[in-house]
């Protein structure tokens, strides 16, 4: 979706753009319920199919084309809910399939994506603070941040702009996670619903708290 955020988004983060991405992901998961978990940040989304899925005979080309086209369709369909201005050109997304053999690989993948979210957002928060509040040019801000570590960026935000990075909304720092949950109906039955979370997924807490929702789909073969 290169160019979409640059054209429409607020800096350093645009909640409307992220909510649109989340709606598109919800649309995919609602139609393809073999997907048991998804994670999104910036202009990307990752979907994980349960190990037992036989969707399209597990043909990667069919899965890629369906998920990517469905995500794009829901993105366009939901655009008007989040933005007043019309699209000025058709958005597009690319996709690929990766097969992970064990649970640890899946968790490592999600840890990598959430760590990437944090690194990018911390940099962007500093960059746009320097530009918008520090009156630096974009090239000056880039030069100022060159070679800095996370601790340097946190100190810069707090000492120069009174921004505590830990107070930045979790959806910006940690991204969005979608999993299936259940809700009670009036007739006493339960139905599946999608839960949107913005919590840490690197540590064990998330995986332990939602073990009942994830274990059957993630469990390694005996």
């Amino acid at each position: 979706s290169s160019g979409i955020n640059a054209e429409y988004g607020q800096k350093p983060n645009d909640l409307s753009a992220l909510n649109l991405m989340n709606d598109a992901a919800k649309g995919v998961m609602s139609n393809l319920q073999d997907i048991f978990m998804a994670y999104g940040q910036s202009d990307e989304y990752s979907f994980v199919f349960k190990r037992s899925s036989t969707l399209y005979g597990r043909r990667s080309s069919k899965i890629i084309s369906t998920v990517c086209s469905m995500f794009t369709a829901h993105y366009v369909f939901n655009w008007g809910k989040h933005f007043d201005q019309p699209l000025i050109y058709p958005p597009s997304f690319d996709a690929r399939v990766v097969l992970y053999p064990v649970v640890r690989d899946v968790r490592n993948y999600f840890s990598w994506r959430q760590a990437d979210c944090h690194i990018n957002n911390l940099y962007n928060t500093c960059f746009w603070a320097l530009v918008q509040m520090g009156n630096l040019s974009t090239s000056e801000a880039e030069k100022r941040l060159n070679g800095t570590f996370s601790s340097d960026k946190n100190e810069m935000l707090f000492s120069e702009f009174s921004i505590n990075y830990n107070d930045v909304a979790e959806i910006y720092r940690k991204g969005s996670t979608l999993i299936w949950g259940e809700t009670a109906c009036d007739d006493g039955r339960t139905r599946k619903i999608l839960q949107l979370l913005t919590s840490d997924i690197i540590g064990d807490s998330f995986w332990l708290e939602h073990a009942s929702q994830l274990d059957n789909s993630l469990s390694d073969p005996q």
Side-chain angles (χ1 to χ4, degrees):
S1 62
S2 58
I4 293 175
N5 287 347
E7 195 71 44
Y8 293 99
Q10 301 295 314
K11 306 298 184 182
N13 292 295
D14 191 310
L15 185 59
S16 294
L18 295 179
N19 285 337
L20 175 57
M21 292 288 290
N22 289 337
D23 274 355
K26 290 175 183 177
V28 173
M29 290 186 70
S30 294
N31 282 276
L32 302 175
Q33 296 195 13
D34 276 4
I35 299 172
F36 69 90
M37 181 177 174
Y39 175 78
Q41 55 130 333
S42 185
D43 61 351
E44 68 174 59
Y45 239 99
S46 300
F47 300 93
V48 186
F49 286 81
K50 60 187 180 181
R51 180 185 293 277
S52 60
S53 176
T54 58
L55 182 70
Y56 304 133
R58 298 176 71 89
R59 286 176 291 156
S60 61
S61 59
K62 182 75 171 180
I63 292 172
I64 288 173
S65 61
T66 301
V67 171
C68 195
S69 62
M70 192 175 292
F71 187 93
T72 306
H74 281 282
Y75 188 94
V76 174
F77 183 78
N78 285 288
W79 177 272
K81 287 174 52 181
H82 303 282
F83 292 100
D84 293 329
Q85 64 268 52
L87 278 166
I88 60 174
Y89 59 86
S92 62
F93 297 87
D94 62 274
R96 62 185 180 274
V97 168
V98 179
L99 183 63
Y100 288 116
V102 294
V103 171
R104 175 49 59 183
D105 293 331
V106 175
R107 286 195 53 177
N108 286 343
Y109 171 80
F110 280 120
S111 296
W112 167 51
R113 299 320 304 141
Q114 189 166 69
D116 185 70
C117 176
H118 160 69
I119 291 168
N120 290 338
N121 188 66
L122 179 57
Y123 180 93
N124 290 334
T125 301
C126 287
F127 180 89
W128 288 106
L130 290 169
V131 172
Q132 296 171 343
M133 303 166 67
N135 299 316
L136 297 186
S137 68
T138 54
S139 59
E140 289 171 335
E142 185 177 354
K143 184 177 180 180
R144 174 78 186 278
L145 290 171
N146 187 38
T148 57
F149 297 100
S150 293
S151 57
D152 302 320
K153 295 181 180 72
N154 276 292
E155 177 60 27
M156 181 188 301
L157 286 173
F158 189 76
S159 61
E160 297 185 29
F161 305 107
S162 299
I163 297 174
N164 184 335
Y165 185 70
N166 289 328
D167 292 336
V168 174
E170 282 191 332
I171 192 171
Y172 303 140
R173 293 184 289 117
K174 299 180 180 179
S176 302
T177 302
L178 287 169
I179 59 173
W180 288 104
E182 290 186 343
T183 187
C185 300
D186 292 339
D187 59 6
R189 294 183 296 178
T190 60
R191 65 180 178 88
K192 291 175 65 176
I193 59 168
L194 280 168
Q195 295 179 306
L196 175 64
L197 308 172
T198 57
S199 52
D200 176 81
I201 58 174
I202 296 176
D204 292 333
S205 295
F206 167 82
W207 304 93
L208 293 172
E209 181 180 350
H210 301 285
S212 61
Q213 295 141 283
L214 302 175
D215 274 358
N216 290 337
S217 298
L218 267 176
S219 57
D220 289 331
Q222 300 300 315

